[in-house]
Amino acid sequence: MSDLSDLTTEAASRDAADPLAHLRDRFDLDPDVVYLDGNSLGALPRGVAERVAEVITKEWGRDLIRSWFGNGWWTAPERVGDKIAPIIGAAPGQVVVGDSTSVNLFKALVGAARLALPDDGPPPGGAEASTGGGASNARTELLVDDETFPTDGYIASSAAELTGLVLRRVPAAGLAAAIGPQTAVVLANQVDYRSGTLLDLAELARAARAAGAVVVADLCHSAGALPVGVDALGIELAVGCSYKYLNGGPGAPAYLYVRADLQSRFRQPLSGWHGHVEPFAMRTEFERAGGIVAGRVGTPEILSLVALDTALDAWAGVEIEAVRAKSIALTDFFLRCVDELVPAGAVACVTPVEGARRGSQIALACADAERVMAELTERGIIGDFRPPDLLRFGFAPLYLRYADALRAATVLAEVLG
Amino acid sequence: MSDLSDLTTEAASRDAADPLAHLRDRFDLDPDVVYLDGNSLGALPRGVAERVAEVITKEWGRDLIRSWFGNGWWTAPERVGDKIAPIIGAAPGQVVVGDSTSVNLFKALVGAARLALPDDGPPPGGAEASTGGGASNARTELLVDDETFPTDGYIASSAAELTGLVLRRVPAAGLAAAIGPQTAVVLANQVDYRSGTLLDLAELARAARAAGAVVVADLCHSAGALPVGVDALGIELAVGCSYKYLNGGPGAPAYLYVRADLQSRFRQPLSGWHGHVEPFAMRTEFERAGGIVAGRVGTPEILSLVALDTALDAWAGVEIEAVRAKSIALTDFFLRCVDELVPAGAVACVTPVEGARRGSQIALACADAERVMAELTERGIIGDFRPPDLLRFGFAPLYLRYADALRAATVLAEVLG
């Protein structure tokens, strides 16, 4: 058992040895705050304010309409997508940025149903599917984990209604096993937004492939926190927001991943002019653009998009494996500090204690959690309350220190003591 | 016939007498440019850069996650909607801002189909519909004008496919006459994006009401240029962008109008968590929020939204009727200048010459139009080229002077001379 002094020494020594410690300087942080809500709204990267100001005053104010091509606004959704791609393990040309996560989920789910259902050609699963699956017209269901972030379930319900599928909710842990020849589409959150539990996406992908079902992964709580490796997983589609671990700013545009070999067949329902093969020809009939451009809809919100573009520069030279290593070490250390300092029985960890089985957050069940989080915030420890009884602490490895983890646990102990 | 000196005198005298002349100071304009593309991307209102900088550095950088409620981010879509409402003649609580025009068209069209088709209750037309229309299950078509801005047609095609309607394209002038008992939904652009022709929306609304069809109006090229009067028209739904005459900035979020009495039955397909009655309860089942909040989907792009919020302050105290009066006078004057100065036969006006029959733009057909517009731009007259042969000049009455109209015509005459 360590005391506070030992933990303080350990935190200092870990921070001194942290190979990512220098990244903290890439953010504009309040020195009086320990910010453990970067999994809800990431901190402000340096340079964003200056870049947005330049876009407003010069590109909008002076270059005006000419900026769409002269300053690269038109192609920003793909260009910024290619900056996100390496963070989630995607080769270039498969990620496009724009619209909210919910809107991208809708594109992905309806597009996935069309990939999976016979009218739009054979399912993407290939040989395994034709031997292992039933008749493809027997695909009737859209599977979703029943602990999903709510908007995923809501959008899935609408997509199911419009495509004639039946929505079936099963526990995340049973998702892979639930996939069968009747499954058209599976929607899964890689990291549970409440508990932080990491789903075995590789197992899910294997089960889906064997059954010829199409996977849509929600990476909101995993991208930027751990190596997703979308290409290596072989999943078909993914979506994610850019305002959590990617630090793109409030409501920063989300992204859509469409695996390269499926792009020519990906027919998403929001067929706006930005996804047209020749938007300025202003033709009557919609003809889908090739490549990932097919995921675009309407005019992108440029100010939010350039903020994200600049924010992503904080990732320059960062290896996601190193981020993952620090994330686990940091959350392990926080759990130890909580164990040592917080009165026994005052909190119960609902996040898997084994680092490999969680994302980059720790959720602690606690009596009166809403009031406790308000008091923590009052004292400069900002996390999140999730009903009914969870304190949720997100650890963004790019800007958090071991000393921050210790301070958070110390203040939590004071509040609960 | 006036010569250039007479026209110069007239422009100066008109500018001196212009009751809206002072509004020009609300914009940050390049003194060397005559900007006639405000119907594509409106000019930069003063104060936007400062406000966005404050939101980035203080609200995001320091207040962080607390800004969603502490700084009013969460309610911004309705609050900013209520700033747009008077400009389009809507009472409060019927306009919500967020997403692109294309995405809002999709919400509106699928929502309209559900209002019009029997499964979702009786059509909104009321008594007239029940006597005048056929059986409501005979409603099979989605009508759209065949000169529509392309994205409207593309999205209408997708909405028709997903709702089982048949898309029928008819010329805008014949749209009202084409409405019949078979019509579920009519989508119409109030101002044609190419020719600037103003549609008689009142006639269309009457025909739709008589037949029990639901109207979706696209106000992109009319809002901020003329009094739309959505409430007075009695149409059901409308959408529009905010980056043209509303000057919200590049890709500024679009808006959706849902008539108050229909909001409780407006079931749009993008059922994201921001449209839930209690989003932070994180419940499994979607329960639609009341009021215009039902038009929301996912997390709004806050930086673009606050830019729009501030940009709309340029409308403080402005009467849209006065804007319309200046718009007609300004475009009339431009047409006269073109007539007087440009070599006979070099251009042909495709916009109605009667002011009451057009929006706030003038489109001139011209040989080699793309090159001509490039030369105009080179000389500081910025308009738009629309294939195959149109020079399009938008006149934003808030910041343009009669002297600008004269200068544009003068330079056009030089280029074509």
Side-chain angles (χ1 to χ4, degrees), chain B residues 24-297:
Chain B
R24 184 173 166 87
D25 291 338
R26 298 183 181 178
F27 293 84
D28 180 2
L29 300 165
D30 185 338
D32 297 329
V33 160
V34 173
Y35 190 56
L36 302 179
D37 211 0
N39 56 337
S40 194
L41 171 64
L44 169 63
R46 292 190 194 280
V48 170
E50 295 78 1
R51 174 72 185 125
V52 173
E54 183 189 25
V55 169
I56 293 175
T57 54
K58 181 185 171 297
E59 298 188 6
W60 173 12
R62 287 297 174 269
D63 301 339
L64 292 154
I65 192 69
R66 295 166 289 196
S67 286
W68 278 107
F69 294 100
N71 288 313
W73 291 354
W74 190 272
T75 50
E78 296 83 50
R79 193 175 61 249
V80 180
D82 275 344
K83 283 173 96 164
I84 292 175
I87 302 174
I88 61 168
Q94 300 178 106
V95 178
V96 66
V97 172
D99 304 312
S100 67
T101 304
S102 298
V103 169
N104 280 294
L105 277 165
F106 187 79
K107 297 179 205 170
L109 290 170
V110 175
R114 288 169 172 172
L115 285 171
L117 296 175
D119 280 350
D120 274 62
E128 290 177 275
S130 5
T131 55
S136 61
N137 60 5
R139 297 193 191 281
T140 54
E141 77 180 12
L142 196 173
L143 270 181
V144 60
D145 62 286
D146 65 2
E147 289 289 310
T148 183
F149 185 77
T151 212
D152 299 60
Y154 304 159
I155 292 287
S157 174
S158 177
E161 176 185 357
L162 286 166
T163 56
L165 292 173
V166 174
L167 187 70
R168 184 157 72 102
R169 301 175 193 272
V170 297
L175 210 48
I179 297 173
Q182 78 289 355
T183 311
V185 180
V186 194
L187 168 61
N189 293 252
Q190 189 171 20
V191 172
D192 182 277
Y193 77 102
R194 285 163 47 92
S195 70
T197 304
L198 177 63
L199 183 75
D200 186 343
L201 208 46
E203 181 198 17
L204 184 86
R206 276 192 302 272
R209 198 157 43 240
V214 177
V215 174
V216 177
D218 181 334
L219 309 178
C220 283
H221 285 274
S222 54
L226 51 88
V228 176
V230 273
D231 281 354
L233 286 167
I235 60 174
E236 286 79 16
L237 301 159
V239 303
C241 75
S242 69
Y243 48 74
K244 299 183 189 291
Y245 297 106
L246 301 183
N247 313 300
Y255 57 90
L256 171 69
Y257 164 88
V258 183
R259 205 176 72 194
D261 63 300
L262 298 175
Q263 289 172 357
S264 65
R265 290 168 47 216
F266 179 66
R267 199 163 71 79
Q268 57 101 343
L270 299 171
S271 48
W273 70 303
H274 279 243
H276 194 280
V277 66
E278 215 179 333
F280 287 95
M282 306 272 165
R283 288 206 290 266
T284 302
E285 298 298 334
F286 184 71
E287 190 183 340
R288 204 159 69 245
I292 192 62
V293 178
R296 289 177 64 164
V297 184

Side-chain angles (χ1 to χ4, degrees), chain A residues 88 190-191 198 218-228 245 255 320 359:
Chain A
I88 61 168
Q190 188 170 22
V191 171
L198 179 63
D218 180 334
L219 309 179
C220 284
H221 284 273
S222 53
L226 51 88
V228 176
Y245 297 106
Y255 58 89
I320 191 71

Side-chain angles (χ1 to χ4, degrees), chain A residues 65-320:
Chain A
I65 192 68
R66 295 166 290 196
S67 286
W68 278 106
F69 294 100
N71 288 312
W73 290 353
W74 189 273
T75 50
E78 295 83 51
R79 193 175 61 247
V80 180
D82 275 345
K83 283 174 96 165
I84 291 175
I87 302 174
I88 61 168
Q94 300 177 107
V95 178
V96 67
V97 172
D99 305 311
S100 66
T101 304
S102 298
V103 169
N104 281 294
L105 276 165
F106 187 78
K107 296 178 206 171
L109 289 170
V110 175
R114 288 169 172 172
L115 285 171
L117 296 176
D119 280 349
D120 274 62
E128 290 177 273
S130 6
T131 55
S136 61
N137 59 5
R139 297 193 190 280
T140 55
E141 79 180 10
L142 194 174
L143 270 181
V144 60
D145 61 286
D146 64 3
E147 288 289 309
T148 184
F149 184 77
T151 214
D152 300 59
Y154 304 158
I155 293 286
S157 174
S158 176
E161 177 185 357
L162 287 165
T163 56
L165 292 173
V166 174
L167 187 69
R168 184 157 71 102
R169 301 176 193 271
V170 298
L175 211 46
I179 297 172
Q182 79 289 355
T183 310
V185 180
V186 194
L187 168 61
N189 293 253
Q190 188 170 22
V191 171
D192 183 276
Y193 77 102
R194 285 163 47 90
S195 69
T197 305
L198 179 63
L199 183 75
D200 186 343
L201 207 46
E203 181 198 18
L204 184 86
R206 276 192 301 273
R209 199 155 43 239
V214 177
V215 175
V216 177
D218 180 334
L219 309 179
C220 284
H221 284 273
S222 53
L226 51 88
V228 176
V230 273
D231 280 354
L233 286 167
I235 59 175
E236 285 80 15
L237 301 159
V239 303
C241 75
S242 69
Y243 49 74
K244 298 181 191 291
Y245 297 106
L246 301 183
N247 313 299
Y255 58 89
L256 171 69
Y257 164 88
V258 182
R259 205 175 71 194
D261 63 302
L262 299 174
Q263 290 171 357
S264 65
R265 287 168 48 217
F266 178 67
R267 199 162 71 79
Q268 57 100 345
L270 299 171
S271 48
W273 70 303
H274 279 243
H276 193 281
V277 65
E278 214 179 332
F280 288 95
M282 307 272 165
R283 289 206 289 266
T284 301
E285 298 298 333
F286 184 71
E287 189 183 341
R288 204 160 67 247
I292 192 63
V293 178
R296 290 178 63 165
V297 184
T299 307
E301 301 188 30
I302 291 298
L303 302 186
S304 289
L305 185 51
V306 296
L308 168 61
D309 189 6
T310 302
L312 289 168
D313 291 343
W315 287 89
V318 176
E319 295 290 338
I320 191 71

